[in-house]
Amino acid sequence: MTEELPHRHATLDEVAALAGVSRSVASRVINHAPHVSRAKREAVEKAVRKLGYVPDPKARALATRQAGAAALVISRDDTEVLTDPFFAQVIAGVAGALEEADLNMMLCVAATARGRRRVEQLVRSRAVDGVMLTASHEDDPLARLAEESPLPVVFGGRPVDVEPRWYVDIDNVGGARDATDHLLARGRTRVVTICGPLDTEVARSRHRGYREAMTLAGLTPRPPAEGDFSEAAGAAAMSRLLEAHPDLDGVFAANDNMAAGALRALRGAGRSVPGDVAVVGFDDLAVAQVTDPALTTVHQPIRDLGHEMARMLVGLIAGRESSPLILPTRLVRRSST
């Protein structure tokens, strides 16, 4: 008589391999997480049936526990970002919404390999219930977090070349178009632009708005001068533009810091604002009111961006579906135009 060998249970890794997905995606499907594509969910469910996979109740309970916290991840490699007025407002908006939901906020500044590993470990260990990711750039490994994470991930601003399922963004194209249209309406026809880092979607979108406005007006967009959103970069970019286009009479800068730098460079070059050159920024930060002259700019609801990111994430954690949200902008006229 042959002794019957004990039946070996299929493992989660085997389910994932058969379904052609990562282990974390398989886990999300088995634990009925809402943030998985239909195709992947169906593939995992088919693999579960074929292998006869039965979840371990203890592991399942561990996987579905609540941490009572959410992470805000800023994909930058310098801690000075925390003193940036833009991110300060985003953080304030996130903190307010999480407080309303009785969730703690964990703040991570991570663009280095070490920082990314820390965030990935945070997600794998489920030390938080969800993640908000902002300041993503091209080829940013953290942008793949939404695909691999067992937790819901909400983006603040769309990442480059990726269309995440959940994000909150600003109407960057429309705002930049309005800024350029305003310069054109003031009689400026030789308008140039200082753009942000073109490996970010925000910079690309604002540059797109400039190009659209110029093209619709029958004018040829001029090549941008790229900066890193700092005042020093704005001044350097303005100097390059003056050298390349000495006849320029209007400038759209992709943020207020760079616009402030542009004003300084124009003054140093003996150009009056707005007499010789009109200047428009973007963001409507406090600096826009203290430049000389005060800066015409595009107001964006920065605190609302953070607040809505957190609200969306809170809903997803609770199992409610959500859709992407685009927040409006408006032009604020001051003395620089």
Side-chain angles (χ1 to χ4, degrees):
M1 183 175 180
T2 304
E3 183 179 353
E4 186 176 343
L5 295 175
H7 176 68
R8 187 183 70 82
H9 294 291
T11 67
L12 181 60
D13 287 327
E14 290 170 335
V15 171
L18 182 60
V21 301
S22 68
R23 189 179 193 278
S24 62
V25 169
S27 176
R28 277 185 282 171
V29 173
I30 291 166
N31 289 298
H32 307 296
H35 40 283
V36 180
S37 70
R38 177 178 295 181
K40 290 182 178 180
R41 185 177 297 279
E42 290 175 352
V44 172
E45 290 172 347
K46 182 178 179 180
V48 166
R49 290 192 298 271
K50 185 171 182 178
L51 295 173
Y53 174 77
V54 178
D56 180 346
K58 291 182 180 179
R60 191 166 194 170
L62 183 65
T64 56
R65 76 183 190 275
Q66 296 291 302
L72 172 61
V73 179
I74 302 175
S75 188
R76 291 276 291 270
D77 58 3
D78 59 306
T79 55
E80 289 185 6
V81 70
L82 300 179
T83 64
D84 186 309
F86 176 88
F87 287 106
Q89 290 192 48
V90 171
I91 292 167
V94 168
L98 292 183
E99 184 176 1
E100 292 172 7
D102 200 26
L103 287 173
N104 294 317
M105 181 178 71
M106 187 174 294
L107 180 61
C108 304
V109 179
T112 63
R114 181 180 180 183
R116 288 192 295 270
R117 286 195 299 269
R118 190 167 58 246
V119 172
E120 290 164 0
Q121 176 58 33
L122 189 72
V123 171
R124 282 197 301 269
S125 65
R126 289 183 176 266
V128 293
D129 296 317
V131 176
M132 292 157 284
L133 177 61
T134 190
S136 179
H137 51 85
E138 189 173 22
D139 298 326
D140 186 347
L142 284 177
R144 296 195 296 271
L145 198 62
E147 181 70 17
E148 298 296 330
S149 171
L151 307 173
V153 177
V154 174
F155 285 82
R158 283 164 287 188
V160 176
D161 298 331
V162 175
E163 190 68 18
R165 189 170 179 183
W166 302 301
Y167 63 83
V168 180
D169 204 356
I170 301 294
D171 183 11
N172 290 300
V173 175
R177 194 167 50 233
D178 289 346
T180 309
D181 282 341
H182 176 67
L183 289 166
L184 298 174
R186 304 292 288 178
R188 312 297 169 143
T189 58
R190 300 179 298 278
V191 179
V192 297
T193 184
I194 301 173
C195 69
L198 289 172
D199 66 345
T200 64
E201 183 59 32
V202 61
R204 293 184 183 186
S205 295
R206 293 178 188 180
H207 184 222
R208 190 181 314 136
Y210 159 79
R211 294 198 316 269
E212 288 181 2
M214 293 290 284
T215 301
L216 288 171
L219 300 171
T220 301
R222 303 192 182 195
E226 188 174 345
D228 63 3
F229 288 130
S230 70
E231 183 176 341
M238 189 73 255
S239 295
R240 296 196 301 273
L241 288 169
L242 284 168
E243 183 175 352
H245 309 287
D247 64 337
L248 64 86
D249 61 4
V251 180
F252 165 56
N255 81 331
D256 291 343
N257 290 331
M258 292 196 298
L263 290 173
R264 176 161 54 86
L266 287 166
R267 185 165 53 248
R271 304 293 183 95
S272 67
V273 177
D276 298 325
V277 183
V279 179
V280 180
F282 202 116
D283 286 343
D284 197 21
L285 299 174
V287 67
Q289 300 183 50
V290 299
T291 55
D292 182 20
L295 186 64
T296 294
T297 187
V298 176
H299 174 85
Q300 63 164 320
I302 303 171
R303 187 181 292 252
D304 289 348
L305 173 67
H307 192 268
E308 293 301 328
M309 283 170 57
R311 281 189 59 190
M312 184 177 291
L313 183 63
V314 167
L316 293 169
I317 291 171
R320 298 189 297 272
E321 189 49 84
S322 188
S323 300
L325 177 63
I326 304 293
L327 301 177
T329 61
R330 59 181 172 84
L331 187 72
V332 178
R333 296 172 177 83
R334 297 193 179 99
S335 304
S336 65
T337 56

